[in-house]
Amino acid sequence: MEMTFWTGYKGLQILFNSWETDNPTQYAFSCIAAMAFVVFHNFLKWVARRLDAYLTKKFDDCCATSLINGTRKTNKLTIPWYWEMVRAFLHMIQFTISYFIMLIAMTYNVGIFVSVMAGAFIGYFLFMRMSQSEGIKDTSALDGDCCS
């Protein structure tokens, strides 16, 4: 396994022994798959933010920023356990995908690494732009004490 950045496609293994590139076509599809994987990760982050906004609106109007910031105030906002399970499962999937993305980037192949970065750009551009247009913004500056 290479420990420095390198170019080429022969013998490149990505995540599993069965995902190996031996020709330029396999390498191109691997680059596209790596990019799509990162875009999917950003999509899941968008889904989680949408779910948090939905749950905040459904269960409490005052603390509209608390779930989106990740700091849930429990004195007024009570979310049923099954929704917390959904949120925890979604977080677990995001966490797993994050590690897979890290391992993909750690192949140190320049093309794969550039594909991961391009996927991060495309995913953020598509989904965080949608979040902002729908009013789901980063509200960390607004984290006041509205629920006390």
Side-chain angles (χ1 to χ4, degrees):
M1 179 176 173
E2 294 285 335
M3 295 304 289
T4 58
F5 281 102
W6 62 286
T7 57
Y9 58 84
K10 290 242 187 240
L12 172 65
Q13 287 184 336
I14 304 171
L15 294 180
F16 309 104
N17 289 335
S18 59
W19 188 357
E20 186 172 348
T21 62
D22 292 323
N23 59 51
T25 304
Q26 290 175 337
Y27 183 68
F29 280 118
S30 294
C31 288
I32 292 168
M35 189 182 319
F37 205 54
V38 179
V39 170
F40 179 67
H41 180 261
N42 279 286
F43 169 73
L44 287 179
K45 285 170 57 175
W46 175 76
V47 168
R49 291 180 82 177
R50 294 274 309 194
L51 178 63
D52 287 348
Y54 167 77
L55 293 174
T56 300
K57 185 176 180 180
K58 181 174 172 104
F59 294 107
D60 188 84
D61 288 302
C62 170
C63 296
T65 63
S66 60
L67 269 180
I68 296 171
N69 287 335
T71 56
R72 182 168 56 100
K73 296 183 172 94
T74 57
N75 57 346
K76 281 193 174 186
L77 186 62
T78 305
I79 296 175
W81 66 271
Y82 51 88
W83 281 114
E84 292 289 355
M85 293 289 288
V86 170
R87 291 180 70 225
F89 181 76
L90 192 56
H91 176 74
M92 180 192 69
I93 297 298
Q94 288 178 3
F95 198 77
T96 303
I97 289 174
S98 295
Y99 271 104
F100 281 164
I101 291 169
M102 177 196 67
L103 291 172
I104 289 170
M106 287 181 63
T107 62
Y108 293 110
N109 182 277
V110 172
I112 295 293
F113 186 80
V114 168
S115 296
V116 167
M117 295 302 113
F121 174 82
I122 292 167
Y124 186 86
F125 179 77
L126 290 176
F127 297 110
M128 294 307 122
R129 194 173 122 229
M130 278 200 277
S131 293
Q132 290 180 352
S133 69
E134 294 167 352
I136 305 170
K137 299 179 182 175
D138 180 18
T139 57
S140 55
L142 302 175
D143 192 21
D145 198 17
C146 74
C147 294
S148 55

